[in-house]
Amino acid sequence: MRRSPWPGVAVLLLLSLLTACGGPAGQPQATPSGATSSAGPTTATETTAAPPSATGTPSASAPPSASWTTYTTAAGDLAFDLPSSWTITDPAGELAEGGGAFAEVSSEDGRLLATLRTNMATGSTCTERYPYSVLESQDMPQLAQYGTVPRYTFETRGNDVAAGPPDTPAAAYGITTAPLPEGDSACYMFHFFNWPPNAATFGAFYNPELNLTPGDPSLPYLEKARLYAGTPEYADIKRMITSLRPAG
């Protein structure tokens, strides 16, 4: 599987992993939608920063993949739907101390599209703010914890005039419990959500080397991210991530 050229791109933003010697769990497999799984690996409009708390329009015009399956993580606590031609690696590496989920979802040709991890320690301090845009935002009440409803988001930092965080991809899709940005600038993207015993992440930085994007390859990074939001592949990724739910 080809990895992202950006260090840490599989795990989103400002985190301290609790790594330990948790051994690999069994490798569940994706099954036809509506079923659960228990063995073997598987193949399975934009808003700008100006309007506070605005959300983008869905990219639902892109046709979805024809065949979908339902996958339950090796940890057994979460399930999600995905195109049957995509591949899951679970566990995808060393687990956090105390176990948890660590699954990577790749396209049929081996491009890493999203990573799911649970049992994570997180922390963030907002020391810098950047121009932003929210390409899409959708509440996910099925993952509500402690009275907080997380949301799916595809957002960017920086623009043609002011750059985003240095040495860091400035667009990402995933699930977050952070509030919608307000005003004309926002803190660094923090795509984590509450999930026992602490926090979880499911998403990825946008990477034009992994996320197939139409248009001129020389286009600026953020323009490519906006174009990607209208592609069938992105529509499938959004459907997959927003389907995440407690198993069973």
Side-chain angles (χ1 to χ4, degrees):
M1 176 188 303
R2 184 168 60 168
R3 300 287 179 170
S4 167
W6 289 303
V9 73
V11 181
L12 297 181
L13 313 178
L14 299 180
L15 67 104
S16 299
L17 286 178
L18 295 177
T19 56
C21 57
Q27 297 184 0
Q29 67 179 16
T31 57
S33 185
T36 56
S37 55
S38 61
T42 180
T43 50
T45 58
E46 171 189 0
T47 60
T48 62
S53 301
T55 60
T57 55
S59 58
S61 58
S65 293
S67 177
W68 285 68
T69 64
T70 296
Y71 182 79
T72 300
T73 63
D77 60 339
L78 289 165
F80 59 90
D81 305 327
L82 73 159
S84 57
S85 61
W86 290 3
T87 301
I88 295 175
T89 303
D90 184 6
E94 187 175 13
L95 300 177
E97 183 177 359
F102 183 5
E104 292 182 338
V105 182
S106 300
S107 63
E108 58 271 23
D109 56 356
R111 292 173 292 106
L112 180 61
L113 298 178
T115 298
L116 170 65
R117 296 201 72 165
T118 65
N119 195 15
M120 302 181 68
T122 67
S124 68
T125 301
C126 185
T127 58
E128 300 287 342
R129 298 180 67 88
Y130 308 92
Y132 73 92
S133 64
V134 178
L135 306 181
E136 294 209 74
S137 182
Q138 175 180 321
D139 286 347
M140 298 182 60
Q142 72 271 24
L143 295 178
Q145 295 285 319
Y146 318 116
T148 300
V149 176
R151 75 180 194 281
Y152 170 83
T153 186
F154 187 11
E155 58 185 329
T156 70
R157 293 295 183 271
N159 57 28
D160 293 339
V161 177
D167 304 319
T168 304
Y173 47 81
I175 306 172
T176 181
T177 52
L180 277 165
E182 297 182 355
D184 60 2
S185 63
C187 298
Y188 191 53
M189 294 176 292
F190 191 73
H191 288 180
F192 292 96
F193 61 97
N194 298 328
W195 190 254
N198 35 56
T201 181
F202 190 21
F205 286 113
Y206 167 72
N207 179 353
E209 293 188 13
L210 300 178
N211 303 105
L212 295 181
T213 306
D216 187 341
S218 66
L219 286 172
Y221 171 85
L222 291 177
E223 182 61 29
K224 290 179 181 178
R226 295 182 183 97
L227 286 173
Y228 186 66
T231 63
E233 181 175 275
Y234 171 73
D236 285 344
I237 290 173
K238 179 188 174 185
R239 177 179 169 183
M240 174 183 71
I241 294 175
T242 57
S243 75
L244 187 69
R245 56 197 180 272

